[in-house]
Amino acid sequence: MRIGITCYPTYGGSGAVATELGLELARRGHEIHFISYASPFRLRGFAERVTFHEVTQLEYPLFEQSSPYALALAVKQHEVAKREQLDLMHVHYAIPHAATAWLAKQMLEHEGLHLKIVTTLHGTDITLVGQDPSYYTLTKFSIEQSDAVTAVSAYLREETYRAFGCGDCEVRVIPNFISAADYHPPADDSFRRRLAPKGGGHRVLVHVSNFRPVKRIGDVVRIFAGVRQQLPATLVLVGDGPDRDAAEQQVDSLGLRKDVRFLGKVESVGDVLRGADLFLLPSATESFGLAALEAMACGVPVVASAAGGIPEVVEDGKTGFLAPPGDVATMVDRALRALGNADEHSRLKRNAAARALDFSADRVVPRYEALYEEVLS
Ligand code: GMT
């Protein structure tokens, strides 16, 4: 098949999943065309059957506050679909990608050409941004106009029905996945020692995100502070975003500077995750929690919020522990339970690595291929 993929190219789960999907599909023999304003961050180097098409925009004084990216994207989607004879366009994150794909499709129809649209809903396109009155009707319309719609968790599917109704449209759940070869538990503790080159018994806690308010970075720091009172430990924070400055200040005010490392954006999170003893994800909500899955794939247990789609990924008491969002005391208790006893930690690590295999690319990507075939038949 010849498949167009549009996603946000920046650090973030939806762009990561879209890019890994494109690369996996290309390995399986499909021709993939990424269309976005920049090359997706996980698309590095040459890959057979993969092409990137950059959306270019005219700078014009009148557009000062509102450069119409969505229109330029629709034009590029139309152009690439026509020139490369795409069978379908798979868009990740509904806003504005599902609407621009619909526009491109209308232009093609006008020329006697047909393009199928598959939309994957990822999270705040449904739970937050899409429900804002400024986007609601267009989000609902473009979901309903898609030829197929997927959600990354059962929670997100139900939330889509609850918030948008979505008439006759069937939202299928296809979970996020990991390419198992990229994430595997380390055979020794060399990665861990690189992150915290201290003596035995020292623990490494990791959090990876784009530091938006929904991630509750303040809770990450407070959970760590609680653990640090009981155990020698280092907190490694990966990523960047609006709440980073506040987190830096919080770390200073709690006197934790020497125990916390802010790494900023890191291209290969696997290298960091392989050095972790525990992953923290205390988000207010999370439609899936790809970062937690990536940690589990490296054999790292997770302490997370029992919110949104996280319980579909992290099994409480088995691959980590869940607690209500904001319940820092319980999360500290669970983190200490996970880290304080070597046998318990090993059990959680084994379970986490095994559970992650349920979400391997080999299991999940064929479900997208089957959906494409159905849409095209
Ligand atoms: O929806 C968002 O907030 C953005 C998106 C992203 O690009 O980071 O994150 C969502 O999609 C990821 C990939 O499917 C999920 O793993 C995240 O849980 C989800 N984020 C939220 O629901 C807050």
Side-chain angles (χ1 to χ4, degrees), residues 8 10-17 93 120-129 152 155-156 176 210 212 214-215 281 283 285-291 310:
Y8 283 105
T10 47
Y11 289 79
S14 60
V17 168
Y93 202 93
T120 290
L121 309 171
H122 278 274
T124 51
D125 45 353
I126 295 303
T127 58
L128 196 69
V129 190
V152 298
Y155 156 78
L156 190 60
N176 289 331
N210 41 20
R212 286 173 298 158
V214 72
K215 302 292 175 182
L281 192 65
S283 307
T285 186
E286 203 67 65
S287 70
F288 183 88
L290 180 66
I310 294 179

Side-chain angles (χ1 to χ4, degrees), residues 252-268:
D252 286 335
S253 69
L254 290 171
L256 291 170
R257 178 56 58 182
K258 68 176 181 10
D259 299 317
V260 180
R261 293 181 66 181
F262 286 86
L263 298 189
K265 290 177 181 170
V266 169
E267 286 220 339
S268 175

